[in-house]
Amino acid sequence: MSVICFPQDFNEEDLYIDLRPIFGQSLFLKCEGFNFAGSIKLKAATEMVEAAERDGSLTPRSILVESSSGNLGVALSMIAASKGYQFLCVTDSRCNLGTRRLMEALGSQVHIIADPDADGGFLGARINYVRALCASDDRYVWLNQYTNPGNWTAHYRTTAPAIARSFPRLDVLFVGAGTTGTLMGCARYFWNWHRRVRIVAVDSVGSVTFGGAPGRRMIPGLGTSVPPPLLVESYVDEVIRVEEADTIRACHRLARKGFLFGGSTGTVVSAATHWLAQHDESEPTAVAIAPDLGERYLDTIYQLNWVQALYGEDVLGSEEPTSSASLSPSRS
């Protein structure tokens, strides 16, 4: 049985799962989904909203608007409801139905983009819609998670220090790359830490975050169709790109052991176990960040008909990973 590790003075920042009994490699999974919003995005949402309130751009008459594939939308829905703001989430057809319903249950409006932009895909189309909306009505306040420094500052102040406290001998950290807020906040923090930590970014095959041609991506969360402005590649030691079939295999393997995680977590775990299998002789102290839980994926990743229709009937019959690794520019 896997071991859930937390100290006597427990808080959710200290919750880790030891995945060695499942995957055979020493890997500690930092669980970020045990908050009211159900994902790591609550940190960035809180930071960005509070910054907008401090600088006066967010007022009682404002209508919050944000482009999101799902989890940030849920986090902002909760914050908006608690603070009395209106909120409009601009998402696309890949957003899980349960996630959309959750945002609406919290009082938010949800606009779904059905057609991708010719150059920027669904993300480009969502951003274009938000920009046009803000230009037409000055009540709309776009936090813009893609350029907002609060996105990475939240993790510089909270996520990375929490990992450092729990693992003072940390060797390697695996972080999923979407907007790259979590990645950049953690990487910046460990850049200045007292010992060297290898930062491995995890991306989805078909994402253009670290270059390459765009491709089909059906699982929301990690990856992007537009290069993220927050990304500074010099902070990243290595990039691993994960096929969505491997994401699904990792999620189902975790679920068979009693841990229901979301697609972003499955992607990160797949990459981390692939990397560790190639470096097991050194037995590094390794941590991976699990951004989300799996309840919002019951109709997709955990629904057999959906999985087989998109990835083939034998997708769950093989656990041989097809992920690829590439080395990013070295840090100096």
Side-chain angles (χ1 to χ4, degrees), residues 3-7 12-20 26-32 158-174 189-190 193-198 283-290:
V3 179
I4 300 178
C5 309
F6 51 89
E12 66 183 37
E13 282 284 16
D14 300 310
L15 180 59
Y16 297 83
I17 297 173
D18 181 359
L19 296 184
R20 183 188 286 277
S26 181
L27 175 65
F28 292 92
L29 192 61
K30 188 179 193 308
C31 302
E32 290 283 349
T158 61
T159 310
I163 294 170
R165 287 194 303 270
S166 295
F167 295 91
R169 302 300 299 171
L170 181 67
D171 294 307
V172 57
L173 179 65
F174 299 92
Y189 179 88
F190 284 111
W193 205 36
H194 64 88
R195 67 189 306 272
R196 181 76 163 82
V197 174
R198 189 168 191 82
E283 295 187 355
T285 299
V287 172
I289 296 176

Side-chain angles (χ1 to χ4, degrees), residues 16 44 54 68 72 115-116 120 126 128 131 156 174 177 213 219-220 242 276 281 328:
Y16 297 83
R54 287 194 301 269
S68 170
L72 182 69
D115 299 311
R126 284 170 12 207
N128 289 339
R131 283 178 174 153
Y156 187 94
F174 299 92
I219 301 174
V242 177
L276 289 168
E281 71 285 346
S328 286

Side-chain angles (χ1 to χ4, degrees), residues 57-101:
S57 58
L58 189 57
T59 67
R61 69 181 290 271
S62 299
I63 303 173
L64 277 170
V65 61
E66 186 57 77
S67 159
S68 170
S69 62
N71 282 337
L72 182 69
V74 172
L76 286 172
S77 293
M78 299 193 76
I79 293 171
S82 68
K83 289 176 173 285
Y85 296 117
Q86 297 181 64
F87 172 56
L88 168 63
C89 180
V90 179
T91 188
D92 60 64
S93 54
R94 298 170 301 176
C95 180
N96 300 321
L97 178 59
T99 301
R100 292 184 230 164
R101 288 177 172 171

Side-chain angles (χ1 to χ4, degrees), residues 5 11 46-47 52 86 96 151 163 165 184 188 195 200 215 218 223 226 246 251 267 269 274 284 303 313 330:
C5 309
N11 66 67
T46 301
E47 185 82 20
Q86 297 181 64
N96 300 321
N151 192 350
I163 294 170
R165 287 194 303 270
M184 287 295 96
R188 279 183 162 93
R195 67 189 306 272
V200 179
M218 299 303 296
V226 177
D246 292 331
C251 285
T267 304
V269 168
H274 175 75
Q303 215 289 323
E313 291 189 1
S330 298

Side-chain angles (χ1 to χ4, degrees), residues 252 298-313 315-316:
H252 280 257
L298 293 177
D299 293 329
T300 54
I301 288 175
Y302 296 104
Q303 215 289 323
L304 189 58
N305 291 338
W306 185 90
V307 170
Q308 291 181 339
L310 289 174
Y311 305 101
E313 291 189 1
V315 64
L316 296 176

